[in-house]
Amino acid sequence: MSGFMFYILSALTLVCAVGVIVNRNAVNAAMCLLLSLVGVAGLFGLLQAYLLAVLLVLVYAGAVVALFLFIVMLLDVQGGARKPFGKVTAIAATAALALMVAGACTIAGRPEITDAQAAADAIGAPLKNYAYQLFTTYLLPVQVVGFLLLIAMLGVIVLSKRFDGLEDIK
């Protein structure tokens, strides 16, 4: 069952990561990034690293993606025509493909990477202590940061809203 879930979450992560790259609309790209991060959090959950999964969703999905959306809303970015690929883009794409193939060959050639389940069990105990401190000792700072992000989101919504019919607000 975990093997099947691994493939499902990996496919979700990869498809959404490709969606981030190829999507012209910045809001849709941010939503694809959010889904990709959720897929990675699910993979952390499969490794029994629950704190990392929760922190990934809270910090990156909750804060970073929200920040991206704030910026997109403030700048009112619209997707436009793409530039044609040049020589530099082709060279960079070739170098990235070569690095990806080298990484895949390295992972395939090292059997200790496949034994990640045993390492994940050993990592779980200290993470439990971090989780305990995060939700007891540092609960107030986490709540304050969450409240500030909520206020920032409301401010961006108000600032980016167009008031066409009201002359006194302009």
Side-chain angles (χ1 to χ4, degrees):
M1 182 66 183
S2 67
F4 178 72
M5 288 301 296
F6 173 78
Y7 289 119
I8 294 293
L9 290 171
S10 297
L12 173 74
T13 302
L14 288 176
V15 167
C16 291
V18 170
V20 171
I21 296 169
V22 298
N23 215 326
R24 288 185 177 186
N25 188 341
V27 174
N28 291 339
M31 290 297 130
C32 285
L33 177 64
L34 177 69
L35 288 176
S36 180
L37 291 173
V38 167
V40 172
L43 290 173
F44 279 139
L46 285 178
L47 290 173
Q48 298 177 354
Y50 302 114
L51 179 64
L52 286 178
V54 170
L55 287 178
L56 182 76
V57 170
L58 288 177
V59 173
Y60 288 103
V64 174
V65 173
L67 182 65
F68 286 162
L69 289 175
F70 294 163
I71 292 170
V72 167
M73 289 170 64
L74 273 176
L75 297 178
D76 197 21
V77 176
Q78 301 292 327
R82 292 184 177 229
K83 295 179 182 176
F85 293 118
K87 276 186 171 182
V88 175
T89 305
I91 291 171
T94 304
L97 181 65
L99 285 174
M100 189 172 77
V101 169
C105 290
T106 302
I107 289 173
R110 299 184 70 180
E112 62 267 11
I113 293 176
T114 58
D115 298 333
Q117 182 65 33
D121 291 339
I123 293 171
L127 290 178
K128 191 173 185 177
N129 294 334
Y130 284 122
Y132 178 76
Q133 288 187 353
L134 181 67
F135 292 110
T136 56
T137 306
Y138 300 108
L139 183 62
L140 181 63
V142 169
Q143 293 295 322
V144 167
V145 169
F147 183 72
L148 288 175
L149 285 172
L150 176 67
I151 295 300
M153 181 180 69
L154 292 175
V156 166
I157 290 171
V158 169
L159 290 175
S160 65
K161 188 165 177 65
R162 300 186 196 288
F163 298 100
D164 292 334
L166 303 174
E167 291 297 324
D168 58 340
I169 294 178
K170 290 182 180 177

